[in-house]
Amino acid sequence: MNQSNRSWNADLYQQKHAFVFHFGADVLTLLNPKPDERILDLGCGTGELTAQIAESGAEVVGLDASPSMIAKARQSFPHLSFQEGDARNFGANQPFDALFSNATLHWVKETDQPSVLSAAFNALKPSGRFVAELGGQGNVVRILNALAKALNELGMPQPVNPNFFPSVGQYTTMLETAGFSVTLAQFFDRDTPLTDPETGLSDWIAMFRGDVLAALSDHDRQTVLANVNNQLRPTNFRDGYWFADYKRLRFIAVKPLEP
Ligand code: BEZ
C-alpha cells in the first residue's frame, strides 16, 4: 500500500485499518487468479491479499516500499515471497501474467505515475493484465475539507494532499499512453465503515494524515480532531459507525500482444 516516502505503523494498519484489505477482496474477483500464473501484488502492505491470491494456486510475489509492512507480511505469511521495492522502478527477472494493486496507486504522485505504469507494462508478459483499485476523483473529500477547515480555524497552514485521486478519463488516458488497452474502468462511491465506533474517524486521520497531526501541539491536535468529528458527525456517522467517503476507481488494463 505504500509507495511514497512515508513511514507506516504496520501493526496499527493491520489492527485498525483492516477494511483496506477486506474491501480489496472484491478486486481479487476481478483479478481471477489461476493456478500456475505468476502474479505481482504491487503495494502489498501487510500481505493479506497476497495470501488470498496464493490460495488460488498462483505463484505470487508481494512488493511494497515500506520495510515495516514487508517485515509484517513476512512474519504473518512466512511461506510467501515478499520484496521491498519502489513501484516507480521495479523490474521483473521473469515477466508476470498479472499485476494486482489495491489502495496503492493513489500514493504515487501524478508526475511519477508514468514511471509506475511503464514499469508495470514492462513487467508483464504480452496479453498480461493489470488489475487495480485506487482512490478516484473526490475521494475522502469531506474528511479532507473538514480537516482543512479545522486547521484554518486554528490559523494553521493548509495541508498538502499527498494523494493522487484521478478521474476515469485521466487515468485511462495515462494507461493508454503507457501502452495498455483498457478493457474495464469503473468509478463508484463506497462509503467505508471505520473499525472503531468511537475513534474511527480520528484513527483514520492519525493513520493517513499523521504528519499533519504530528506538527501540532497535543492541545491543538485534540482541538482539530474534535472539530473534524463535530463537522462530520451529521454526514459521516450512522448506525453507530464512522464512515470514510471513499470513491473508488477500478480498472483492468491489458498489455497488447502486438505493440
Ligand atoms: C484510500 O484508500 O482511498 C485512501 C487511504 C488513505 C488515504 C487516502 C485515501
Side-chain angles (χ1 to χ4, degrees):
M1 51 116 29
N2 175 47
Q3 295 304 329
S4 58
N5 296 326
R6 305 170 79 80
S7 63
W8 292 95
N9 181 333
D11 288 321
L12 191 64
Y13 174 73
Q14 209 176 35
Q15 286 155 18
K16 293 218 165 181
H17 304 276
F19 58 84
V20 177
F21 46 82
H22 289 157
F23 279 102
D26 290 353
V27 203
L28 284 181
T29 310
L30 273 190
L31 175 68
N32 190 18
K34 298 182 195 68
D36 302 327
E37 282 191 323
R38 256 175 68 73
I39 298 182
L40 180 72
D41 181 1
L42 190 59
C44 63
T46 45
E48 281 74 12
L49 294 174
T50 323
Q52 287 186 40
I53 295 170
E55 281 170 19
S56 69
E59 181 196 335
V60 60
V61 178
L63 185 98
D64 203 286
S66 158
S68 67
M69 290 290 184
I70 289 293
K72 191 82 198 167
R74 286 185 177 140
Q75 186 193 334
S76 303
F77 307 104
H79 57 295
L80 297 181
S81 169
F82 294 99
Q83 286 172 22
E84 218 178 290
D86 189 324
R88 291 167 298 188
N89 56 26
F90 68 96
N93 299 335
Q94 267 181 278
F96 290 95
D97 296 286
L99 257 59
F100 171 81
S101 181
N102 179 54
T104 290
L105 293 169
H106 52 235
W107 290 107
V108 175
K109 282 194 293 197
E110 181 172 355
T111 47
D112 286 334
Q113 292 284 341
S115 310
V116 173
L117 298 183
S118 146
F121 190 85
N122 292 332
L124 280 171
K125 293 178 186 171
S127 297
R129 61 202 189 279
F130 186 14
V131 179
E133 180 176 304
L134 65 155
Q137 191 172 51
N139 193 38
V140 290
V141 72
R142 287 203 298 255
I143 298 180
L144 300 184
N145 285 348
L147 182 60
K149 185 161 181 279
L151 290 165
N152 186 45
E153 283 173 19
L154 276 185
M156 308 299 292
Q158 291 302 287
V160 174
N161 184 353
N163 297 119
F164 172 55
F165 298 135
S167 69
V168 173
Q170 198 176 8
Y171 212 68
T172 53
T173 301
M174 285 181 161
L175 285 160
E176 286 174 356
T177 304
F180 287 102
S181 290
V182 180
T183 58
L184 176 134
Q186 296 174 327
F187 179 79
F188 54 96
D189 287 356
R190 188 180 64 216
D191 273 6
T192 299
L194 302 174
T195 306
D196 192 299
E198 277 176 30
T199 60
L201 182 59
S202 299
D203 292 340
W204 190 95
I205 296 169
M207 181 84 202
F208 298 119
R209 290 297 183 272
D211 49 343
V212 175
L213 297 184
L216 304 175
S217 67
D218 285 351
H219 178 267
D220 284 354
R221 192 176 312 130
Q222 294 315 321
T223 306
V224 163
L225 289 175
N227 185 332
V228 174
N229 276 259
N230 286 340
Q231 285 185 66
L232 293 183
R233 191 168 287 277
T235 51
N236 290 46
F237 187 85
R238 61 182 171 278
D239 303 328
Y241 279 92
W242 285 103
F243 286 78
D245 49 317
Y246 278 7
K247 293 186 188 297
R248 307 322 270 173
L249 173 54
R250 274 185 193 167
F251 65 82
I252 301 178
V254 176
K255 176 171 178 166
L257 254 181
E258 306 290 338

